[in-house]
Amino acid sequence: MKRIAIIGGGISGLAAAHALEKLRLAGAAIEYRLLEAGSRLGGVLRTEIIDDCLIEAGPDSFLTEKSWAADFCRELGLGDQLMGSNDSTRKTYILLKGRLAPMPDGLMFMVPTKILPVLTSPLFSLSTKLRMAREWFHKPYASNDDEPVAALVARHYGQEIVDRLIDPLLCGIYGGDAARLSVKAVLPRFTEMEKTTGSFSRAMLAARRKSAGTSPRPLFTTLKGGMQQISDAIGKQLDPASVRCGAGVQTVELTDAGWMILGETFDALIVAVPSQSAAEMLQSTSADLATELRSIEYSSSVTVALGYGREVRAALPPGFGLLAPRSEGKRLLAATFVHNKFNCRAPEDRAVIRCFLGGTRDEAVLDLEDGEIVQIVQRELREILKITAEP
């Protein structure tokens, strides 16, 4: 009988436990133990219902293009809970010189697939628009080395696209800096397009022609009852005797008998915690591995969800929300109009605005009290969206 320890009960640890439970039920001679320091499973996957509004503390969806996420939900019996974003009303605004400029219609991430909306957009200068036109003739380029997202985008479209579009977009998603985020980790599809086709515009249009006649898929997919449904579903399918919450692991020891963890011996170990915690845990076992783990950079963000009445909902611009480039001098990275993005997230007479701060751009905000953060958000929403009502 092989005994396996999983340290960390977030989505990674839960997915590992789910796979091992399937093997165990199929007759494999294994026994596993999922050890979670907190009082609940799921990590940052946390959904709450507050005043009849569904609020996500962590991620609110996943990209529909990442089909393995939806496949996993179906495997968990959640297929009937999958729900796409309201893409018929999808519009994202970029804060530009204190005013909201909509991203042009037909702009797929950063790739223009419609000419006229881009040409008439105030978001880009004439030189950038000409650069977008020239991108059509970009030759295939292949590199075995990784590079920052900013370098790839600037090579095709110039620095203005990085500053006004890509950096705020990725900062809103990852909390990171486009000049430091890995292309192969964040945009592997674009690396392949550059290698095979050269031009992103030509590759995107070719993909669109290939899918002509099929119904377009929504950009985002979520679960009707919130993302916590995923971790809850996994937890219910695990062997209760194999799960321990409140079991914080500080160190692990590798002996001739195996891994010694909280007084038990295991044949194998899966570490599913942030790299800094993993480094401390594994320091005595492998100093070299611990050093590598510490070199992995992390950023954290703060999410603030504010609820308003029908007056604010009626006054908000249509669409999914806004992004704030760092050149605008705001602490707000992004704001999502939750009631527009997905159905059934708020009653018809409510508005829910979910705001994001922090990331590598503003780590100091993590040290502020909640009340101070809310004041910052309210002030900047007043400046950007003219919201004067109390949430």
Side-chain angles (χ1 to χ4, degrees):
M1 177 71 70
K2 175 172 277 192
R3 304 190 75 232
I4 303 166
I6 306 167
I7 302 177
I11 188 60
S12 298
L14 284 170
H18 174 74
L20 292 175
E21 176 67 6
K22 286 200 301 181
L23 291 172
R24 187 185 73 84
L25 292 175
I30 58 172
E31 177 185 307
Y32 66 90
R33 186 82 76 242
L34 177 60
L35 304 170
E36 164 57 37
S39 60
R40 55 178 288 277
L41 299 175
V44 296
L45 290 179
R46 194 170 114 227
T47 305
E48 297 180 77
I49 304 296
I50 303 174
D51 200 19
D52 296 329
C53 298
L54 190 148
I55 307 297
E56 298 282 19
D60 71 352
S61 58
F62 53 84
L63 288 172
T64 304
E65 184 179 294
K66 298 186 176 183
S67 57
W68 53 88
D71 292 341
F72 188 41
C73 288
R74 294 187 187 97
E75 184 181 326
L76 294 170
L78 297 173
D80 62 340
Q81 294 295 301
L82 293 169
M83 178 177 71
S85 50
N86 295 320
D87 281 17
S88 61
T89 60
R90 175 159 57 93
K91 182 178 286 188
T92 301
Y93 301 89
I94 306 294
L95 188 63
L96 181 63
K97 298 178 181 178
R99 304 182 67 177
L100 294 180
M103 286 176 57
D105 185 33
L107 195 68
M108 299 178 67
F109 191 56
M110 60 180 168
V111 181
T113 59
K114 295 181 180 179
I115 300 300
L116 188 60
V118 172
L119 289 177
T120 57
S121 172
L123 194 55
F124 310 122
S125 65
L126 177 60
S127 61
T128 294
K129 292 172 183 177
L130 291 172
R131 185 82 179 254
M132 285 179 159
R134 289 201 304 271
E135 199 276 340
W136 182 269
F137 305 100
H138 203 283
K139 295 181 179 179
Y141 175 87
S143 173
N144 293 325
D145 298 324
D146 201 357
E147 64 179 334
V149 171
L152 173 82
V153 176
R155 184 161 64 246
H156 283 256
Y157 297 115
Q159 189 62 37
E160 188 176 80
I161 294 290
V162 175
D163 296 338
R164 292 188 180 179
L165 190 62
I166 299 304
D167 195 51
L169 189 63
L170 295 182
C171 198
I173 296 171
Y174 297 101
D177 183 341
R180 295 159 70 186
L181 285 168
S182 154
V183 165
K184 290 186 177 180
V186 176
L187 300 177
R189 182 185 175 194
F190 283 85
T191 301
E192 186 61 27
M193 284 193 293
E194 186 181 53
K195 179 181 177 181
T196 57
T197 307
S199 165
F200 295 151
S201 298
R202 280 189 285 122
M204 283 288 196
L205 286 172
R208 173 175 284 187
R209 285 193 295 269
K210 190 175 181 180
S211 62
T214 62
S215 300
R217 296 188 301 169
L219 182 60
F220 302 104
T221 297
T222 189
L223 293 158
K224 293 176 183 177
M227 294 292 284
Q228 187 178 320
Q229 283 187 277
I230 298 174
S231 52
D232 288 349
I234 298 173
K236 289 175 183 176
Q237 295 179 17
L238 299 179
D239 176 17
S242 299
V243 179
R244 284 181 58 189
C245 288
V249 178
Q250 303 301 320
T251 60
V252 298
E253 182 183 357
L254 183 58
T255 68
D256 292 339
W259 293 95
M260 291 294 297
I261 304 166
L262 299 180
E264 294 187 74
T265 304
F266 296 91
D267 300 294
L269 170 64
I270 296 172
V271 181
V273 298
S275 63
Q276 306 301 316
S277 300
E280 297 302 318
M281 199 180 295
L282 295 166
Q283 177 64 45
S284 61
T285 301
S286 173
D288 289 342
L289 177 56
T291 298
E292 284 198 45
L293 288 168
R294 287 193 186 93
S295 71
I296 299 173
E297 296 182 47
Y298 272 75
S299 67
S300 291
S301 63
V302 175
T303 62
V304 181
L306 302 177
Y308 295 95
R310 66 171 73 248
E311 294 82 6
V312 170
R313 180 163 177 156
L316 286 172
F320 282 9
L322 64 93
L323 301 168
R326 68 182 68 208
S327 58
E328 293 296 310
K330 303 296 184 187
R331 301 192 81 167
L332 196 68
L333 301 176
T336 299
F337 306 153
V338 176
H339 53 280
N340 285 343
K341 188 174 180 181
F342 295 109
N343 291 329
C344 307
R345 287 303 190 251
E348 290 296 320
D349 61 347
R350 308 281 174 82
V352 176
I353 304 178
R354 190 170 183 238
C355 303
F356 300 81
L357 305 92
T360 55
R361 188 199 301 183
D362 187 12
E363 294 179 336
V365 77
L366 303 171
D367 298 322
L368 299 180
E369 297 293 331
D370 286 0
E372 294 178 90
I373 297 173
V374 171
Q375 287 180 359
I376 291 169
V377 169
Q378 284 190 259
R379 183 181 68 248
E380 297 198 351
L381 289 181
R382 187 164 57 248
E383 294 168 352
I384 299 168
L385 297 171
K386 313 306 178 191
I387 296 175
T388 57
E390 285 296 310

